[in-house]
Amino acid sequence: MINNRSLLIVGGLAAVAWLASNSLYIVDETERAVKLRFGEIVEENIQPGLHVKIPITQTVRTFDTRVLTLDTDASRYLTREQKAVIVDSYVKWQVVNPTRYYEATAGDEMMAVRLIQPRVDESLRNEFGRLNLQEIISERRDDLMTGPTQELDKLMREELGVAIRDIRVKRIDLPEDVSSAVYSRMRSERERQAREWRAQGQEESERIRANADRRRQVLLAQAQSRSETLRGEGDAEAAAIYSEAYQQDEEFYSFWRSLDAYRQSFSGGGNMMVLDPSSDFFRYLKSPSPEGEQ
């Protein structure tokens, strides 16, 4: 009797435990859920926390709502001028509508990836197809992907219940034949700019040199004019001094000038002079006294 009662208690506890484990469920902070009854959705977008369901007849499907990354394969696209570019990109996406996501993919993440990837490829193909190669190379990649991200986000919310948070280009490569043409054009452009800069530099150099030469000529003319003025003033002052000295004592002035002439003439050492001994030059050598005094 006791054994039967114990078995009943144990059985009752087991039934309660089973009922509790199949009636209660937890949705994690990083998840959202939908409740199904025989495969039909009866409760949408269940938030994180502890919830109750009816065992056997109801099931719960949870979905990761964190931002996920889809790393796409490098693809070849044509630009507006029919030049090929090889683009390596990735996509950030997130489940935002669990009900629509379950209806479109049955909650299978790989199925969602297979549906998103061709849409991304089509969007990038359209975007690169409207741009020429120069625009693709020169534009910022973040700005380049703004339009496709917004368009694809709107479409994927409606079709799959997922949001496209971002499309990023990791690398844009050019096929070898296109690379050669692009590099040649870029080199030509840089050479043209270099020629322009050199021409501008040469023009500026000639202008600076011309200004410097002009200023040099002006300064030399001013200096020459100043020197002539000073020389004239000096000569005038010297003449005035000579004149004053001559007027004070004409004989002494003549004597002093003769001595200065002797000193200048005989200072060279081996100089030879051919002069008449009776010339006036030797006047004071023959008689240092004034004329008429012997």
Side-chain angles (χ1 to χ4, degrees), residues 217-230:
Q217 293 298 329
V218 171
L219 291 174
L220 287 175
Q222 292 175 347
Q224 184 68 23
S225 175
R226 180 62 176 166
S227 69
E228 293 294 337
T229 299
L230 293 176

Side-chain angles (χ1 to χ4, degrees), residues 144-159:
L144 188 66
M145 292 294 101
T146 299
T149 301
Q150 294 175 350
E151 294 174 3
L152 195 60
D153 178 64
K154 181 179 179 181
L155 181 63
M156 290 293 95
R157 285 175 183 270
E158 296 174 356
E159 291 188 0

Side-chain angles (χ1 to χ4, degrees), residues 41-53:
I41 297 177
V42 294
E43 187 175 352
E44 303 178 352
N45 198 21
I46 301 173
Q47 300 299 307
L50 180 63
H51 302 275
V52 179
K53 66 181 179 66

Side-chain angles (χ1 to χ4, degrees), residues 76-85 125-126 128-134 136 174-175 177-178 181-182 185:
R76 185 186 180 98
Y77 303 123
L78 293 178
T79 64
R80 186 170 62 192
E81 68 267 48
Q82 299 302 303
K83 297 288 183 65
V85 291
R125 190 175 304 278
N126 293 337
F128 282 97
R130 73 176 185 83
L131 301 172
N132 59 45
L133 192 59
Q134 187 64 30
I136 293 172
L174 302 174
D177 55 338
V178 178
V182 171
R185 184 165 62 251

